[in-house]
Amino acid sequence: MALATVSGRHGMVTAPHHLASAAGLSVLRDGGNAVEACVAVAATLAAVYPHMTGIGGDGFWVIRESDGRVHGIHGCGGAAAKADLSLYAGHEAVPTRGPLAANTVAGTVSGWAAALEGGTLPLDRLLRDAIGHARAGVAVTAGGAEIAAAKGEELRGQPGAYMATFEPEGRPLRAGDLLCQPLLADTLQRLADEGLASFYSGALAADIAADLAALGSPVSAADLAAHQATRPDPLHVGIGGATLYNSAPPTQGFASLLILALFDRLRAGSADGFDHVHGLVEATKQAFLIRDMHVGDPAFHDYDWQGLLDDPAALEMLAAKIDPARALPWPQPPQWGDTCWFAAADGDGRVVSCIQSTYFEFGSGLVLPRTGITWQNRGSSFRLAQSGWNALKPGRKPFHTLNPALACFADGRVMAYGTMGGEGQPQTQAALFTRYARYGVDLQEAISRPRWLLGRTWGDQSTTLKLEDGFDERLYVDLIAAGHDVERVGPPTGTMGHAGAIVRHSDGRLDGATDPRSDGAVATW
């Protein structure tokens, strides 16, 4: 049965797992706000969706307060002090799995702490459901089982507690099997008891650092203690009828905004027609060309990202590079990454767009034996070079595919939207936003309709233009004729991301949608 847009009034949560949505809604029902609900969602996802996210990764927030103020939080860790070129002598690239892939501090928990400043509910209430699910266990979803089976061979040989946690019977967990994470439950309880700062200093941090050292990671106790979340202003751009917001670098939020700003300058066509799909794909190429030259840790870049977004003439010049009839050849290498986006809105008018990740599925593959934390491999994206884009440097933050989106419409609507999917995140954001905002497509339908992706699929370096089945047959023909390297990938697939959205209307009514490609749900009251 097709999903329908869900409506509510008092509060709403959307997440890619139904138990996480339920955890967030229960916080709203108990008087918590949208930020507190998102912390509950984030923690629960670590227990029920650990192949996609966890407390050993990074996270980014864009928050629209009830008074209209929009601000951001980056829970993003930098490279360890020992993570320099000498550490990788003999390597052509940073490994994607194992101890040397676990080379950055995990910033997610610091982002929670920053977001919760001024909150009202106690931490043990916010983490209650996550602790319960991690301890009692949850049924593995079909999607989770598929990923565990596909990635098991490269993960089960890693040092640490991966096998004990995710293959306790010597095989990947199957759909319906019970996934229990008692060590993670203990760690979440320690955070509830000792405070979120204990992740970075104190007894919990000492256990984390000891595990990382024993497993061979360069991340030290000193690296953990030196970390703190930051609050850079989100980037923004005005388009017809709305102002769009997204996370500042080192995320690719700039590219997500630029795609929509360029498309806003093209002729409209019709939803999912050639002008729509070709226009967004070509806008994506222009945005990615700039992204791959200039987006990274702001401490190592002097590019004026907001200045470009504020310059109508510069945007017009970039839009003019898009040929309305022909595809730009596209040999660019893809960016990797899988993640979880989620959102919440409360009855006071607060709307939160949030995303967090351990980068690859199960991150580095290191599961810390004392704490049950799966540590990210975000730093495997660093280049082993003396200088230039995303070159490895101690303390440097890696380029991030993560980017939570938010839009404020001239008519008073506020929309939080996003997706997992690495290279596909800006593209899926652009598809669902333009369908809804420009063409008036129903919110749930805007997510459920077939999608496209220029670039990689899971485990594949292909840079074709991939399209799901379900578009008008003429579209596939016209895209090929225009020079696109079209690859048809069949029915709707998680390759295209796990998207979601919440829209708050000016009268307080809430609409929400989730992705049928995920195990998600919209929860409301």
Side-chain angles (χ1 to χ4, degrees), residues 312-520:
L315 294 174
E316 290 288 352
M317 289 179 62
L318 283 172
K321 293 182 178 182
I322 296 173
D323 188 324
R326 295 295 302 172
L328 179 73
W330 194 244
Q332 299 298 312
Q335 299 291 340
W336 292 83
D338 294 299
T339 180
C340 283
W341 176 89
F342 46 96
D346 58 38
D348 294 330
R350 191 177 289 103
V351 180
V352 180
S353 182
C354 189
I355 193 165
Q356 61 182 42
S357 173
T358 53
Y359 198 29
F360 283 25
E361 300 94 337
F362 299 104
S364 65
L366 298 191
V367 180
L368 307 192
R370 288 176 175 85
T371 61
I373 298 170
T374 301
W375 208 263
Q376 67 182 355
N377 66 328
R378 181 63 59 173
S380 66
S381 69
F382 281 123
R383 294 170 51 249
L384 295 181
Q386 290 288 347
S387 61
W389 182 83
N390 210 35
L392 176 65
K393 301 284 183 184
R396 186 173 193 168
K397 295 178 179 179
F399 169 80
H400 264 276
T401 52
L402 305 183
N403 66 115
L406 188 137
C408 295
F409 292 83
D411 62 9
R413 285 175 295 165
V414 179
M415 178 180 184
Y417 61 104
T419 181
M420 56 80 84
E423 186 90 336
Q425 287 184 41
Q427 302 180 62
T428 293
Q429 287 184 16
L432 72 91
F433 180 83
T434 53
R435 283 170 173 168
Y436 173 78
R438 185 160 182 170
Y439 299 111
V441 175
D442 170 78
L443 188 64
Q444 181 60 59
E445 187 181 351
I447 292 173
S448 298
R449 280 189 182 187
R451 295 205 291 262
W452 64 88
L453 187 154
L454 175 70
R456 71 105 183 158
T457 61
W458 287 347
D460 185 1
Q461 288 282 351
S462 165
T463 56
T464 56
L465 175 60
K466 301 162 184 66
L467 291 97
E468 294 176 330
D469 291 344
F471 289 101
D472 187 292
E473 285 298 317
R474 185 68 193 176
L475 176 66
Y476 304 102
V477 174
D478 289 346
L479 289 171
I480 293 170
H484 292 281
D485 184 9
V486 170
E487 177 185 351
R488 297 185 65 163
V489 297
T493 167
T495 294
M496 299 293 168
H498 295 169
I502 291 177
V503 174
R504 184 183 191 276
H505 296 265
S506 58
D507 63 359
R509 178 170 54 89
L510 299 169
D511 289 335
T514 191
D515 203 323
R517 301 164 183 82
S518 76
D519 301 301

Side-chain angles (χ1 to χ4, degrees), residues 138-150 156 162 165-180 362:
V138 295
V140 176
T141 65
E146 181 180 356
I147 290 172
R156 65 178 61 101
Y162 179 85
T165 304
F166 297 115
E167 297 192 6
E169 297 182 13
R171 58 163 176 80
L173 292 172
R174 303 185 181 111
D177 285 349
L178 196 65
L179 168 64
C180 296
F362 299 104

